[in-house]
Amino acid sequence: MKNSKLFVSITFLSLFLNAFALFRFEASAQNAKVQNDSLRKGIAIIITGAAARIPQEAALLEQLYNSGSLKDVSFISGASSGALNTTVLNAILSKRISWNQYKNILFSITNNQVYTGNGNTLPFDTSPLRELLRRIVNDSLGFYKVSDLPFASSISATNAGIRPLDGRTYRFSNCKINAESNPDFDLIDILMASAAIPHIFPPVKINVPDSSHQMKFIDGGVAEDHIPFEAARQYEQLTGIKFKKMIIVSRKNIPETDISPEFNYLGIKDTKLREMLGASIAHLSKEGFIKKLILLKETDPELAARTYVYVPDFVQDFPMLDFNNFKMQYKVSSAWALTHQPILLDKYISENVNVR
C-alpha cells in the first residue's frame, strides 16, 4: 500500500513538474514573440517592373491605401516602371497628390508621350518620356532630387557596362543603405535609367560615387532586382529594425511562351532580334517572378515568412509597350483588387509554381 501511494505521489509530482515546465516554455515563447514583435516596425512596399502595365500596380496600391494597409509604410522600393509608382506613392502618402489626380495623369498618357519610332529602328527615342516625367515629377509633385522623396525609398538600375549583369544592380536610395546611395542624384535621371528596357529603350548615363566617368544604366529589373526587395533588406540592416511585413506589388504575370505577341505589337520581325529581346525581358515572365520569390524564401526565410504578394490575375492581356490603354487596365485591375487581398509568399508560391 505504501509503495502504491509512493508511486502515485511520484507520478503526480512528475506530471506537475512536466506541466510547469511546459507552461514556462510556452510563456517564454510567448514573451519572446511579443518582444520580437515589439522590435518590428512599419511596412515595406516593393513594386516590380511593369513597362506599360503601370496602371495595374497603381490600382492595387490604391486598393491597399483605401483598405488602410498603407498607414504604416516606412520604406518603398521600385524597379523599372515600378520606380514611377514608387515616386508617386511617396507623393500620395505625403498628401502632395490624390489618387484621382494620379489617375487623371495616367489616363492621359499615350504611346507618343513615352517613345517614338518603330521596331525597325531600335532603341526607340525616349525623349518624350523624359519630358513627361519632368512634367509629372518636377512640376506636379515638386520632386527634383532623390532626397526630395519624403519616405525612405530605393530605385533600382542596372550597370550596363559590366558583364554579367548579375551583381551589378545599383539601388539608389535617399538613405545610406549602400555605397551608391546619394540624396543629390537627379530623380529624373534615376527614373529614366531604371525604366530603360534593354535594346528597346536607350541606356542612361549617370555619374556615380568612386567613378571618374559616367556609367551607362539600364532597366533595374533585368539583373538581381526582378523583385526589388534587396533594398528593403539593406534598410533593415542599416536601421536594425525589422519590418512588421513586406508587401510585393506586381502586374499580371505572363508565361515566357506568351511573350512573342509583344514583338508583333512592336513590329519586330527579325528572328535574331526577337531572340535577343526575349532574353532581355524574361524577367517580366511568371517564371522569372516565381524564381525570385523562391530565392527570397531560401536566402531569407525569416523575411519571407512576413512577406505578402499582391498580383492581379484576370482574363485580359495588355501589351508590354502599349501606353494607350491605361484607363482600361486600371478599371480591370481595380475590379480584381476589390475582391482580393495580398497573400503570404509561401501560399502564393504553392498555388502558382508550375502553373501556366
Side-chain angles (χ1 to χ4, degrees):
M1 180 67 71
K2 290 183 178 180
N3 289 338
S4 177
K5 288 183 178 180
L6 180 62
F7 175 77
V8 171
S9 299
I10 293 174
T11 302
F12 176 78
L13 179 61
S14 177
L15 290 173
F16 174 78
L17 291 175
N18 286 335
F20 181 71
L22 179 61
F23 171 78
R24 290 196 61 185
F25 174 79
E26 290 178 345
S28 177
Q30 183 63 27
N31 288 336
K33 182 180 184 301
V34 171
Q35 185 178 23
N36 195 36
D37 288 344
S38 68
L39 295 176
R40 294 176 179 170
K41 182 179 180 181
I43 297 171
I45 302 297
I46 311 300
I47 312 173
T48 72
R53 301 177 185 123
I54 296 173
Q56 297 180 29
E57 296 180 338
L60 268 58
L61 289 167
E62 183 184 18
Q63 176 59 27
L64 290 174
Y65 180 90
N66 291 337
S67 67
S69 300
L70 300 185
K71 289 183 178 179
D72 197 21
V73 171
S74 56
F75 187 80
I76 310 170
S77 176
S80 193
S81 55
L84 176 60
N85 276 328
T86 294
T87 302
V88 175
L89 186 58
N90 264 271
I92 289 174
L93 294 178
S94 59
K95 309 300 183 183
R96 288 174 178 252
I97 192 175
S98 68
W99 282 108
N100 284 336
Q101 287 174 309
Y102 183 34
K103 284 186 280 189
N104 287 335
I105 292 172
L106 283 177
F107 299 165
S108 68
I109 294 175
T110 58
N111 283 348
N112 59 13
Q113 290 180 287
V114 178
Y115 64 89
T116 58
N118 57 63
N120 297 318
T121 57
L122 295 178
F124 294 130
D125 176 11
T126 54
S127 55
L129 174 59
R130 181 175 285 274
E131 175 58 22
L132 176 66
L133 290 176
R134 187 194 64 77
R135 294 199 309 269
I136 297 173
V137 178
N138 293 162
D139 298 346
S140 297
L141 306 184
F143 298 153
Y144 292 86
K145 295 182 179 181
V146 174
S147 59
D148 291 332
L149 297 175
F151 287 78
S153 303
S154 176
I155 296 174
S156 302
T158 305
N159 188 337
I162 304 175
R163 296 290 189 274
L165 293 177
D166 285 350
R168 303 306 172 186
T169 300
Y170 282 58
R171 301 172 184 96
F172 299 101
S173 176
N174 53 359
C175 304
K176 196 60 180 176
I177 62 174
N178 50 43
E180 63 265 26
S181 292
N182 185 332
D184 292 328
F185 276 128
D186 183 272
L187 186 54
I188 301 297
D189 284 344
I190 301 299
L191 290 171
M192 289 291 294
S194 187
I197 304 171
H199 309 297
I200 298 177
F201 288 176
V204 176
K205 294 181 178 179
I206 298 176
N207 286 313
V208 297
D210 301 323
S211 175
S212 59
H213 62 282
Q214 289 183 320
M215 294 183 179
K216 289 183 178 180
F217 286 88
I218 57 175
D219 193 321
V222 299
E224 299 165 294
D225 280 12
H226 301 349
I227 305 174
F229 57 73
E230 186 60 33
R233 297 179 66 195
Q234 292 178 342
Y235 183 77
E236 284 191 335
Q237 293 169 3
L238 173 69
T239 62
I241 300 174
K242 302 288 187 179
F243 299 113
K244 283 189 286 189
K245 70 169 65 172
M246 183 167 77
I247 304 176
I248 296 170
V249 178
S250 192
R251 70 287 180 276
K252 178 184 177 181
N253 288 311
I254 60 173
E256 290 181 358
T257 53
D258 291 345
I259 290 179
S260 57
E262 305 289 354
F263 306 133
N264 297 332
Y265 174 80
L266 295 173
I268 300 173
K269 299 179 180 180
D270 183 87
T271 303
K272 290 184 178 180
L273 181 57
R274 289 168 72 104
E275 291 177 355
M276 179 177 64
L277 293 176
S280 297
I281 63 175
H283 65 288
L284 294 173
S285 71
K286 187 167 189 174
E287 290 83 354
F289 186 78
I290 295 293
K291 286 179 182 177
K292 196 64 179 179
L293 292 180
I294 293 174
L295 180 63
L296 172 59
K297 184 179 177 180
E298 292 174 346
T299 58
D300 196 339
E302 194 272 334
L303 176 58
R306 47 193 165 93
T307 296
Y308 293 76
V309 181
Y310 205 24
V311 180
D313 187 14
F314 40 72
V315 175
Q316 296 89 334
D317 288 323
F318 297 96
M320 181 182 69
L321 287 179
D322 183 3
F323 294 84
N324 292 324
N325 57 22
F326 275 12
K327 189 171 185 178
M328 178 56 69
Q329 287 195 60
Y330 211 106
K331 180 180 179 180
V332 172
S333 303
S334 292
W336 180 91
L338 283 173
T339 57
H340 295 80
Q341 295 295 321
I343 63 175
L344 280 167
L345 178 145
D346 200 47
K347 182 179 180 182
Y348 183 88
I349 292 175
S350 65
E351 291 181 353
N352 289 272
V353 70
N354 297 324
V355 174
R356 295 294 184 268

